[in-house]
Amino acid sequence: MASSRSSAADPLGDAVARALAAQLTGPGRVAVALSGGRDSVALLAAVAALPAARVREPIAIHVNHGLSAHADAWQASCATLCTALDVPLVVRGVSVDPADADGIEAAARRARYEALYSAASDAGAAAVLLAHHQDDQAETLLLQLARGAGPHGLAGMPEARVDARGLAWLRPFLGLPRRTIDAWVRAHDLAFVDDDSNALPRHRRNALRLAVVPALARV
């Protein structure tokens, strides 16, 4: 696995450095939400490559939802990556009710964010970094539009916010398209897992990604 180094030609490293500089007054400890997928793997690798003057003792947090037959394999993949990058890995298992009234996607999201907060807080992290990118933002806006959301909902995901408990949530890649992350991952020869549920159109976000977004791109 090749290592990455932040430079003028490193869009991911530069994006992370800017996000941290804008939110943290010094090299505080940060936590990276690591699913094992392409985007979060790229985020962790970019964070791990930053000098200590910009980030101190980063950790990775993997939330195991136990919803897929591959969940333990994804966790093992995260462990392998963290060993290679010399980044501590914290694993939190959560229980998600498939019959939740809000739907399994919403239930999993609630459980995931609470687990991320708990693990980051226990580790003394000042911020949690999330790997959402420009294409994710577009899908979120389409979902909100389909729900009839007002101006607040159509504002999309924020690049940075501090929750009521004082923890910062940062999305350094929100201004980057998926293709930039794809190219960076290939250039750095990073291995990642592919969630098989991403191909299932019964999930609303997947249906948008598979059918609506390509149609809009053609237009």
Side-chain angles (χ1 to χ4, degrees), residues 61-65 90-94 114-120 122:
I61 304 173
H62 176 73
V63 180
N64 189 331
H65 299 83
V90 176
V91 176
R92 291 291 171 95
V94 297
E114 190 55 41
L116 288 172
Y117 170 81
S118 175
D122 288 348

Side-chain angles (χ1 to χ4, degrees), residues 6-11 14:
S6 181
S7 71
D10 181 5
D14 292 343

Side-chain angles (χ1 to χ4, degrees), residues 118-188:
S118 175
S121 181
D122 288 348
V128 175
L129 275 59
L130 306 167
H132 300 113
H133 49 71
Q134 196 175 78
D135 296 60
D136 292 324
Q137 181 75 296
E139 292 165 6
T140 296
L141 291 174
L142 288 171
L143 280 171
Q144 297 286 53
L145 185 63
R147 293 180 181 127
H152 179 72
L154 293 176
M157 296 180 287
E159 290 184 328
R161 72 175 181 90
V162 178
D163 66 22
R165 296 174 286 194
L167 182 65
W169 298 82
L170 310 180
R171 295 180 173 89
F173 293 170
L174 209 54
L176 299 175
R178 180 181 285 119
R179 63 179 179 275
T180 297
I181 299 172
D182 281 339
W184 196 90
V185 167
R186 288 194 300 271
H188 292 78

